[in-house]
């Protein structure tokens, strides 16, 4: 008996054996494949391990954040069909941790392998105009916008929308890259350069009161949950702080949650959808979406009964979804390459109710996300004081 128990224990931790978890065996899902090995993949892997799954990750960089936690790494480019095929072949279910995986590739792989999210979430979120049209079609309120692909269309767009406006590239932009705010003609040269190189979208500048996000998860069986809404504060267009619960009215929460649920259902998505929104008075406007766990949902690891990462794994593996109740007021703050010295001090500060998540990145470049800190049961003012002391 003792021997048997020991064998079971050995089996459980030795991932070259089949996993004895009863749920996993019944569902025939034991290995999860992740395309992309960044911090989102790393936290997905940690959640998957907690549930008993084995994880294989494909990423072009050998020392990516996932390499520190994955059971197996496949180091290859995302368009390397042979190696992606290897990942899919070895995995029972495949997901992606970023939205720039070519949707045409996923469409092709889907025919042969189990990729429950499919290519649609990627197709819709890889192009800002298509994304906004999809949001509108599901009933979301979207600020005024128009597609602009040359200087003539830019000038017509400015006349139609009226300053101030924001010009953004339709694809490839993140953290404010590929964006120009136009309040008058003074930034026109920069705008003309952008529009001359890439397909663009021109948006009416929204004088928002605050930015919020909703993370919604939907399982392959159609079960759906949302995470408590966060208020998000950006610095230099990079997410700096997410506050849960978001200090907004019940009406705003109701509108934002309804928008997220309607989008997830009408677009028939599976997995995770993060939707960023602008709040203007009591109105909620769609800004953009990401079909994956999102930086503004990192707070849920400590803040909620089930984190966005665990919920994502549950959703794609066909498990029942967990409850997402907020356990305590939680604030997440990102730290960037330039903050590393102060964060080392914070690590040894002994400050209670604080968790540090380091992403294991070797190069601490300026403005590169290196990790995040979660503060539980502190007010925004208290967290701002910590930031003042340690983010240096
Ligand atoms: P995005 O990449 O679209 O999320 O834009 C990055 C940030 O720029 C947002 O989080 C907002 O703070 C700001 N922003 C983007 N679009 C607009 C807009 N139409 N009006 C006002 N601010 C915007």
């Amino acid at each position: 008996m003792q021997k048997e128990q020991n064998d079971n224990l050995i089996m459980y931790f030795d991932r070259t054996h089949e996993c004895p978890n009863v749920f996993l065996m019944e569902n025939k899902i034991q290995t999860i494949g992740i395309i992309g090995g960044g911090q989102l993949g790393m936290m997905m892997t940690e959640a998957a391990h907690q549930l008993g799954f084995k994880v294989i990750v494909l990423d072009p960089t050998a020392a990516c954040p996932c390499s520190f936690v994955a059971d197996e790494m496949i180091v290859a480019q995302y368009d390397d069909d042979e190696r992606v095929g290897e990942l899919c072949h070895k995995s029972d279910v495949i997901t992606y941790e970023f939205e720039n995986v070519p949707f045409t590739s996923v469409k092709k792989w889907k025919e042969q392998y189990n990729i429950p999210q499919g290519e649609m979430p990627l197709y819709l979120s890889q192009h800002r105009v298509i994304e906004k049209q999809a949001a509108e079609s599901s009933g979301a309120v979207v600020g005024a916008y128009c597609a602009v692909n040359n200087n003539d269309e830019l000038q017509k767009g400015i006349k139609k929308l009226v300053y101030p406006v924001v010009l953004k590239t339709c694809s490839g932009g993140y953290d404010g890259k590929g964006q120009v705010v136009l309040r008058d003609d003074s930034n026109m040269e920069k705008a003309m350069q952008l529009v001359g190189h890439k397909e663009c979208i021109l948006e009416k500048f929204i004088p928002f009161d605050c930015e919020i996000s909703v993370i919604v998860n939907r399982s392959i069986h159609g079960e759906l949950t949302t995470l408590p809404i966060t208020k998000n504060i950006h610095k230099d267009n990079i997410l700096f702080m997410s506050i849960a619960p978001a200090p907004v009215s019940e009406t705003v929460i109701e509108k934002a949650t309804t928008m997220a649920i309607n989008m997830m259902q009408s677009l028939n998505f599976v997995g995770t959808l993060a939707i960023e929104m602008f709040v203007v008075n009591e109105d909620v406007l769609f800004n953009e979406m990401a079909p994956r766990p999102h930086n503004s949902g990192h707070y849920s690891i400590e803040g909620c009964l089930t984190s966005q990462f665990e919920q994502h794994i549950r959703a794609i593996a066909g498990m029942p979804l967990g409850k997402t109740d907020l356990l305590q007021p939680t604030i997440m703050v990102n730290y960037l390459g330039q903050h590393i010295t102060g964060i080392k001090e914070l690590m040894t500060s002994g400050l209670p109710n604080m968790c540090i998540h380091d992403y294991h990145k070797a190069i601490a470049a300026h403005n590169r996300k290196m990790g995040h800190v979660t503060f539980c049961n502190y007010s925004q003012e208290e967290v701002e004081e910590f930031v003042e002391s340690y983010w240096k």
Side-chain angles (χ1 to χ4, degrees):
M1 184 61 181
Q2 186 62 39
K3 176 88 172 67
E4 223 173 44
Q5 272 178 358
N6 283 345
D7 282 348
N8 280 342
L9 273 178
I10 291 162
M11 267 180 73
Y12 192 81
F13 289 108
D14 179 352
R15 293 187 178 276
T16 56
H17 288 76
E18 293 219 324
C19 182
N21 179 308
V22 172
F23 178 84
L24 307 189
M25 285 199 294
E26 279 173 358
N27 281 272
K28 300 200 174 15
I29 302 240
Q30 301 202 350
T31 304
I32 293 175
I34 305 179
I35 300 171
Q39 62 263 25
L40 299 177
M42 184 187 95
M43 289 181 271
M44 265 188 213
T45 303
E46 287 165 346
H49 280 167
Q50 202 181 316
L51 293 168
F53 295 103
K54 176 179 167 182
V55 180
I56 309 179
V57 174
L58 181 138
D59 192 278
T61 307
C64 63
C66 266
S67 69
F68 293 88
V69 291
D71 299 279
E72 185 179 336
M73 281 297 302
I74 296 176
V75 181
Q77 299 298 325
Y78 302 118
D79 59 1
D80 184 337
D81 275 344
E82 200 180 316
R83 302 303 308 277
V84 175
E86 183 190 335
L87 173 84
C88 295
H89 186 70
K90 287 177 166 174
S91 308
D92 302 309
V93 61
I94 297 102
T95 185
Y96 34 77
E97 62 116 40
F98 71 110
E99 65 272 37
N100 290 323
V101 184
F103 68 87
T104 43
S105 306
V106 175
K107 190 173 180 203
K108 188 176 58 188
W109 301 326
K110 189 185 75 176
E111 283 164 21
Q112 244 186 305
Y113 302 107
N114 181 17
I115 312 181
Q117 292 161 277
E119 77 286 1
M120 222 32 184
L122 299 173
Y123 169 70
L124 297 178
S125 56
Q126 279 171 8
H127 192 286
R128 285 187 191 269
V129 173
I130 297 173
E131 176 182 80
K132 284 222 173 13
Q133 287 166 345
E136 280 178 305
S137 76
S138 70
V141 182
V142 175
Y145 69 93
C146 51
V148 290
N149 294 320
N150 53 50
N151 191 28
D152 190 39
E153 287 177 3
L154 174 64
Q155 301 311 325
K156 283 187 183 143
I158 293 171
K159 269 209 182 103
K160 185 176 152 202
L161 301 184
V162 184
Y163 287 131
V165 291
V166 189
L167 182 72
K168 303 176 182 176
T169 54
C170 284
S171 54
Y174 65 97
D175 290 344
K177 292 186 178 67
Q179 294 192 15
V180 186
V181 177
L182 295 158
R183 296 184 185 278
D184 49 40
D185 288 346
S186 58
N187 253 346
M188 192 53 73
E189 204 171 312
K190 217 170 155 192
M192 278 162 56
Q193 268 180 10
L194 210 59
V195 92
H197 280 88
K198 283 194 148 195
E199 276 186 89
C200 288
I201 184 170
L202 190 70
E203 297 176 9
K204 181 75 185 165
F205 185 91
I206 311 291
F208 55 78
D209 300 317
C210 71
E211 294 183 81
I212 58 169
S213 57
V214 185
I215 291 168
V216 51
N217 295 98
R218 186 161 171 265
S219 80
I220 55 171
H221 306 302
E223 193 188 353
L224 189 146
T225 59
T226 55
L227 250 63
I229 296 173
T230 56
K231 173 182 166 179
N232 303 322
I233 298 171
H234 295 82
K235 274 191 184 169
D236 298 329
N237 280 320
I238 302 170
L239 181 67
F240 181 64
M241 186 182 282
S242 287
I243 302 162
V248 292
S249 71
E250 276 303 318
T251 309
V252 165
I253 288 175
E254 168 71 26
K255 283 183 179 173
T257 308
T258 304
M259 185 197 293
I261 291 173
N262 285 347
M263 283 187 69
M264 197 71 175
Q265 276 174 337
S266 76
L267 300 173
N268 204 18
F269 283 179
V270 163
T272 305
L273 185 68
I275 308 166
E276 294 183 79
M277 305 169 185
F278 298 130
V279 178
V280 186
N281 299 320
E282 294 291 270
D283 290 325
V284 179
L285 277 75
F286 172 91
N287 175 28
E288 65 172 356
M289 65 185 186
R292 53 163 171 79
H294 191 258
N295 196 170
S296 64
H298 292 0
Y299 84 91
S300 60
I301 297 175
E302 286 84 17
C304 297
L305 268 172
T306 311
S307 77
Q308 62 167 348
F309 299 103
E310 178 177 340
Q311 204 75 313
H312 182 77
I313 297 296
R314 285 174 169 273
I316 59 162
M319 294 175 78
L321 297 185
K323 280 178 77 70
T324 55
D325 304 43
L326 189 69
L327 297 170
Q328 63 226 333
T330 307
I331 298 179
M332 185 244 33
V333 188
N334 277 328
Y335 60 88
L336 311 176
Q338 60 270 34
H339 302 133
I340 288 295
T341 314
I343 296 302
K344 280 184 190 156
E345 275 176 44
L346 180 66
M347 277 179 182
T348 52
S349 67
L351 195 72
N353 303 329
M354 174 233 16
C355 291
I356 298 183
H357 295 255
D358 189 85
Y359 301 155
H360 307 291
K361 292 183 181 174
I363 300 166
H366 186 81
N367 278 356
R368 185 178 195 208
K369 288 175 190 166
M370 300 300 290
H372 73 265
V373 186
T374 315
F375 296 95
C376 298
N377 283 310
Y378 287 108
S379 67
Q380 185 180 341
E381 292 70 31
E382 286 170 319
V383 173
E384 278 166 358
E385 277 177 30
F386 299 141
V387 167
E388 190 64 32
S389 312
Y390 293 105
W391 267 248
K392 53 191 181 191

